[in-house]
Amino acid sequence: QVQLVESGGGLVQTGGSLRLSCAASGRTFSGYAMGWFRQAPGKEREFVAAISFSWIGGVSTGYADSVKGRFTISRDNAKNQVYLQMNSLKPEDTAVYYCAARRVGSYSLTLQDYDYWGQGTQVTVSS
């Protein structure tokens, strides 16, 4: 079992930056792909970014078109942490952001492929 706790959300102005963190506990998340999703009021939860895991080094990442070039996902396996650096934030980025873990090393863009979820952290971008 893996527990995920997000942090780093808050209120920021358009053009600003935030860095979200997701701490995994319960067992090491080595071997797990990790993802970030978000859900805005009245909308479905959507994919934001994901990162694979590799025992031999080197990972692959994927991004939603809406955040490509602005957001960067990374992971620190020694600390059991995954991060989402968000730059050039826009009001349409306002949402609750969720961290998710998948019990395989390859990432997925599909919400249903993830096995564990955090409770979410609110990001609000003011115009």
Side-chain angles (χ1 to χ4, degrees), residues 58-115:
V59 294
S60 57
T61 57
Y63 296 92
D65 288 342
S66 59
V67 307
K68 205 170 291 184
R70 300 188 297 123
F71 291 11
T72 303
I73 188 171
S74 61
R75 66 188 297 162
D76 185 334
N77 295 328
K79 295 182 178 179
N80 275 7
Q81 297 260 2
V82 63
Y83 308 99
L84 185 68
Q85 178 66 44
M86 306 187 295
N87 299 328
S88 303
L89 283 161
K90 306 174 181 179
E92 51 263 44
D93 295 317
T94 295
V96 177
Y97 283 70
Y98 297 90
C99 174
R102 186 178 189 220
R103 285 191 298 240
V104 295
S106 57
Y107 70 78
S108 170
L109 280 60
T110 304
L111 175 149
Q112 290 81 0
D113 288 340
Y114 288 80
D115 303 291

Side-chain angles (χ1 to χ4, degrees), residues 37-41 45 93-98 119-123:
F37 292 77
R38 67 186 182 187
Q39 188 166 17
R45 194 170 299 189
D93 295 317
T94 295
V96 177
Y97 283 70
Y98 297 90
Q119 82 291 346
T121 185
Q122 176 70 47
V123 171

Side-chain angles (χ1 to χ4, degrees), residues 7 9 11 14 18 20 27 33-34 44 55-56 60 71 96 119 121 124:
S7 61
L11 174 64
T14 296
L18 282 174
L20 304 184
R27 57 153 288 165
M34 302 296 294
E44 294 186 349
W55 291 103
I56 61 173
S60 57
F71 291 11
V96 177
Q119 82 291 346
T121 185
T124 303

